[in-house]
Amino acid sequence: MAAAVVAAAGRACAGGAVRAAWRGFASVPVKGSCCSYSSLAWALQVQCSISAPRNVMVQQCRQSSFFNMLTADELWKGALAETGVGVKKARGKRRKKKLRKNLNRGQEIGEGRSGFLWPGLNAPIIQSGMVQTVSQRKKEERERIQSEILQQRDTWEKRRKIKVKREGGWSGKCWGGVILDPPDPGPNGETYEDFETRVIEVKNVFCMKAKEGRKKSIRALVAIGNGKGAAGFALGKAGDRMNALRKAKNKAIRSLHYIEQYQNHTIYHDMTVKFKRTTIRMKKQNKGYGLRCHRAIITICKLIGIKDMYAKVTGSKNLINITRALFKGLTQQETHQQLANKKNLYVVEFREEQGPLPIVVALPEGTVREDPEPEDDVPDTKLEWSEVKEAQGMKKSPWTNVRQRVW
């Protein structure tokens, strides 16, 4: 019987072609051959090894599963729900965005504990003009390769567990005050290394879509400045946090404002500015006073270059409103020279070191007006009752009427 099988196989493969089939594989078509040796080998469950000509083309065809019929890109496209049909299947607030992963990371095809060398996987097929056969590495070489693979995996695991340290944040759990990298270079190659970028707010926002439902996005408010009067802010919105921050800082560098400073340390005059439901009162201070304001205002003032100022926020504490109100007030302030030209009068200032003697800080460019200021032009300044009582010595400590208990 065995002799008859060998003879039949020899007659079937007389044309110089080879077909081999193993359990679990379908028949393999061979170019230039019309024999059916693969079906014969499958029926008799024998494995034949017969030399073949060099122009043989072998194509592995395994259509036993759904995953074997599609390419990797098609499988990833279905798993990540990139098509419209996949998006419709779930609501936005329950659907977490999936990212494509490299499943071959940390793996070397063909490598194992046994240390076999498989031609075409972890070893060349032809070496020195000879077709290589399956061989095995030495024990020392196997141990060295395994130790290198384990060390590489441990390094990746440590990097995954390490949390990125946020520099300059207001607190450990919020993004406010975090320092970012400079904006991307401009179209002409200009860089912005002298500008400092800070995060003011990062917030999750939602939008209702007809197909996707409640769609989540990230909104970032970023301020930028060089500490010499040039500063700006912008909002960025994207599907993930890093893209939102990148959009915001690149947009902020294109919308800069120049803020005038008195003696490069404070504002020119006291002001009260209102934006929507947020009101900010800003007061000019002497050198060494520092910044005593809201933490968002402190961050923006440092970016501008203001070192001494007092500010109090009343009403809404929305960070976007606070930022807009602050820039609105600082850009609309009048310098001493602008005030002198507007009134055609000398602008004087009383300082503590000069006593009752005034100091002229600005002269009008035109002729000086001789008649006094009309009463209608005198600003009706709204005073704060707490400041009036403090100036008159009527302000009491909140601990005045509290009795101290003796133990």
Side-chain angles (χ1 to χ4, degrees):
M1 181 66 182
V5 171
V6 173
R11 289 193 301 270
C13 301
V18 173
R19 294 194 179 191
W22 291 268
R23 184 182 300 274
F25 287 80
S27 61
V28 183
V30 179
K31 184 177 180 181
S33 173
C34 60
C35 62
S36 57
Y37 176 73
S38 58
S39 59
L40 181 63
W42 170 259
L44 300 178
Q45 298 184 357
V46 297
Q47 180 179 355
C48 300
S49 176
I50 305 174
S51 60
R54 295 186 179 179
N55 59 352
V56 174
M57 292 181 60
V58 179
Q59 180 182 1
Q60 179 175 325
C61 184
R62 183 172 55 181
Q63 298 180 355
S64 59
S65 173
F66 165 78
F67 298 100
N68 298 334
M69 294 187 293
L70 299 178
T71 62
D73 293 335
E74 293 173 345
L75 291 175
W76 274 115
K77 189 174 182 180
L80 301 180
E82 295 177 353
T83 60
V85 178
V87 174
K88 292 179 183 178
K89 290 182 179 179
R91 300 289 288 178
K93 66 177 182 179
R94 299 190 203 98
R95 184 174 62 87
K96 188 176 181 181
K97 186 176 180 181
K98 299 178 183 178
L99 300 177
R100 185 167 182 171
K101 298 179 181 179
N102 183 11
L103 301 180
N104 294 328
R105 185 179 180 184
Q107 307 290 338
E108 294 185 14
I109 300 177
E111 292 294 342
R113 296 181 180 179
S114 302
F116 282 100
L117 293 173
W118 305 95
L121 293 180
N122 58 346
I125 299 177
I126 299 176
Q127 188 175 9
S128 302
M130 298 292 293
V131 178
Q132 299 296 311
T133 59
V134 179
S135 59
Q136 191 175 13
R137 288 195 179 97
K138 296 181 180 179
K139 184 178 180 180
E140 295 80 6
E141 190 175 0
R142 290 198 306 248
E143 294 177 354
R144 180 182 60 81
I145 293 176
Q146 287 296 320
S147 63
E148 291 177 357
I149 294 175
L150 292 176
Q151 185 178 2
Q152 190 177 18
R153 290 176 183 173
D154 292 342
T155 304
W156 286 335
E157 188 68 20
K158 290 179 181 178
R159 288 180 183 177
R160 189 177 64 85
K161 291 181 179 180
I162 292 176
K163 295 184 178 180
V164 179
K165 186 178 180 181
R166 303 173 185 173
E167 297 183 1
W170 298 335
S171 63
K173 292 186 178 181
C174 77
W175 276 85
V178 175
I179 301 175
L180 299 179
D181 295 333
D184 299 337
N188 299 325
E190 60 269 14
T191 58
Y192 308 100
E193 299 295 335
D194 53 341
F195 281 84
E196 184 178 347
T197 309
R198 294 260 186 172
V199 180
I200 304 299
E201 183 186 31
V202 175
K203 193 174 182 180
N204 297 335
V205 293
F206 298 89
C207 179
M208 290 298 294
K209 297 289 183 179
K211 293 183 179 180
E212 305 175 34
R214 194 164 180 256
K215 185 179 179 181
K216 176 184 174 183
S217 300
I218 307 295
R219 186 185 67 193
L221 175 62
V222 172
I224 189 170
N226 62 351
K228 300 177 183 178
F233 71 97
L235 285 167
K237 191 175 179 182
D240 58 306
R241 185 184 299 112
M242 300 314 297
N243 280 337
L245 294 173
R246 180 182 55 81
K247 286 182 180 180
K249 68 180 181 181
N250 291 339
K251 189 177 177 181
I253 198 64
R254 297 193 298 268
S255 57
L256 294 177
H257 303 270
Y258 184 74
I259 310 299
E260 298 282 353
Q261 302 176 51
Y262 178 65
Q263 294 183 354
N264 297 325
H265 76 95
T266 187
I267 57 179
Y268 272 91
H269 55 83
D270 300 350
M271 68 184 81
T272 300
V273 61
K274 184 176 181 180
F275 182 82
K276 293 185 178 180
R277 304 292 294 179
T278 300
T279 304
I280 303 179
R281 289 194 309 107
M282 291 176 278
K283 296 182 67 175
K284 172 185 176 181
Q285 299 295 339
N286 298 325
K287 283 188 177 181
Y289 182 84
L291 294 170
R292 303 182 187 179
C293 354
H294 191 276
R295 58 185 182 181
I297 299 178
I298 292 176
T299 301
I300 298 173
C301 287
K302 288 181 179 179
L303 296 176
I304 296 172
I306 298 175
K307 304 176 182 63
D308 305 292
M309 189 180 75
Y310 169 82
K312 183 174 180 60
V313 181
T314 56
S316 174
K317 301 299 190 299
N318 189 328
L319 292 178
I320 298 179
N321 291 351
I322 291 175
T323 305
R324 291 184 181 274
L326 178 63
F327 273 91
K328 178 183 176 182
L330 293 178
T331 53
Q332 292 179 356
Q333 64 176 338
E334 285 185 331
T335 63
H336 292 161
Q337 189 61 43
Q338 292 174 351
L339 183 61
N341 296 336
K342 179 180 177 181
K343 300 291 184 180
N344 290 329
L345 295 172
Y346 292 101
V347 178
V348 298
E349 188 176 44
F350 292 91
R351 297 180 184 172
E352 186 177 356
E353 60 269 16
Q354 295 292 334
L357 300 178
I359 300 175
V360 178
V361 293
L363 298 173
E365 295 179 354
T367 57
V368 180
R369 188 175 63 186
E370 296 182 358
D371 53 327
E373 183 83 4
E375 293 185 0
D376 297 340
D377 294 345
V378 176
D380 185 11
T381 306
K382 184 178 180 181
L383 301 178
E384 292 289 335
W385 181 238
S386 60
E387 296 178 357
V388 174
K389 290 197 297 183
E390 184 179 1
Q392 295 178 354
M394 299 170 56
K395 186 175 181 180
K396 297 181 180 180
S397 173
W399 307 100
T400 301
N401 298 326
V402 178
R403 295 182 180 180
Q404 185 177 6
R405 185 173 181 178
V406 181
W407 296 92

